[in-house]
Amino acid sequence: MFPSKIIQKSTRKQQETMDDTISLILHGCKLAKDLESNLANSASQPETLSRLCEEIIRVFANARERLHVHQLGTTLYPHPMLFREPQDSQQQQNIDPILQEWRGTSCTSAMGTLFHQTQGVMAERSALGLTESKIGGGIQVGSGGLAIESGSRSDVQAVDASDSGRGSSSSSKRPRIRNDDAEKRTVRVPAQQFGNTEIPPEDGFSWRKYGQKEILGSRFPRAYYRCTNQNLYHCPAKKQVQRLDDDPFRLEVVYRGEHTCHMSATAPSAPPPAPGITQEMAQTMIGQPPSAATSLGRWVEFRLGPGGGAGSTSSSSMAAGSGGCAAGPSTTGRYGKEADYPVTDMADAMFNSGSSSTNSMELIFPSISEEKWDQPSDKNN
DNA sequence: GCTATTTGACCTTA
DNA sequence: TAAGGTCAAATAGC
């Protein structure tokens, strides 16, 4: 049995560190806001602008470094202060007003989208055995629109019945229950606001659609996906994607089964550990076998590492690049589905100085470089 | 030709 | 028995 006091102490320490980091980020946001409000006045003072920009960059770079360190020692879960809605008005009042203000800004929206991009990583983390229920609690973003529910079937049903509108609005029939539902992990993410809004959010893995079905009582069909490497490595991972009835701009993604493709000894590209992270360290950190742990290490690097900068935009074919399935290279859906939006680019867009854009859309979908992988063909079944 | 999506039919499960 | 889940032939893009 794991000593819970050690966990609590460690968690408290991490929380304190995270609090400092959050404060740093808030400070950076404030500086950016000040810069924005004084932009017109400072337009004729390039030196002043440059100095302010450098200051902002420095603050965010510092925050990123802290996050990187924090990320290596924690569980990849966002800070609860930011991403959990208060349970009641009392708690709402207790939140730092600065934080409340910040939560309502476009910056929050961008962060929400960032976590939208990373939610799949967390969900797949869960698929590797680190279910949220083991750590406690889901994740919710008030205005950002992210919610993760996982664990038992009852958890998932509770979500469906309470606010999806799908369960409650439909017939009173008892929902269908599968024996393997205990491995279900439900994630709600914002749908893309433009382009093909049916495209499920990128989660770092490569999926192949194998079915779509109209669901009783639902306005929108449910799409069924399985891991592209299912045949090659007998990877059992699957996911279902369905638009919410009461919020067509959000998708409910249900993950089932664990990815085993990245654990295959014959996987074409065994994921390397994150820089400075040995397999033993990774195993210690997340309690997974080295193979899985190094995969997580890769995720850490993928999300917060320096990564490659933004490359050329590929509008028609978002090919899988560094964000492909950890088991190996992923192919890209012919119709632009299963597109990959490497989170590294997202982080770069937000934290690096390279981007001078203040356009949130560019932050949300930074241009990415297109890479081709030599993927072993997944024979049509 | 290869690989992915679409979609009607069939299977599974409560 | 009904509804969700999966299969596999047909189809399409590269």
Side-chain angles (χ1 to χ4, degrees), chain A residues 23-66:
Chain A
S23 299
L24 201 55
I25 293 174
L26 289 172
H27 178 57
C29 290
K30 184 175 183 304
L31 290 175
K33 210 170 178 179
D34 291 342
L35 175 62
E36 183 184 17
S37 58
N38 295 320
L39 200 54
N41 298 334
S42 307
S44 58
Q45 303 170 2
E47 288 135 351
T48 304
L49 283 176
S50 175
R51 183 176 52 77
L52 290 172
C53 286
E54 281 179 10
E55 173 70 10
I56 294 170
I57 291 165
R58 187 181 60 78
V59 170
F60 279 119
N62 193 350
R64 184 176 64 169
E65 285 302 310
R66 286 165 173 258

Side-chain angles (χ1 to χ4, degrees), chain A residues 17 25 45 72-73 124 150 193 214-215 251-252 259 322 328-329 348 362:
Chain A
T17 305
I25 293 174
Q45 303 170 2
L72 295 179
E124 291 306 325
S150 72
Q193 301 293 309
E214 297 289 336
I215 300 301
L251 302 174
E252 183 174 89
H259 277 283
S322 57
D348 284 345
E362 291 180 37

Side-chain angles (χ1 to χ4, degrees), chain A residues 25 82-83 102 106-116 350-351:
Chain A
I25 293 174
L82 282 180
F83 297 99
W102 181 72
S106 58
C107 181
T108 321
S109 175
M111 288 294 283
T113 307
L114 171 62
F115 277 91
H116 154 215
M350 297 194 65
F351 294 116

Side-chain angles (χ1 to χ4, degrees), chain A residues 263-333:
Chain A
M263 299 181 188
S264 169
T266 58
S269 67
I277 301 299
T278 65
Q279 289 194 346
E280 289 72 21
M281 288 167 65
Q283 182 177 6
T284 302
M285 281 193 292
I286 66 174
Q288 288 291 302
S291 54
T294 50
S295 174
L296 264 294
R298 173 177 171 151
W299 286 121
V300 172
E301 176 189 17
F302 172 62
R303 295 183 56 210
L304 294 169
S312 61
T313 302
S314 173
S315 59
S316 60
S317 175
M318 299 290 197
S322 57
C325 179
S330 62
T331 54
T332 303

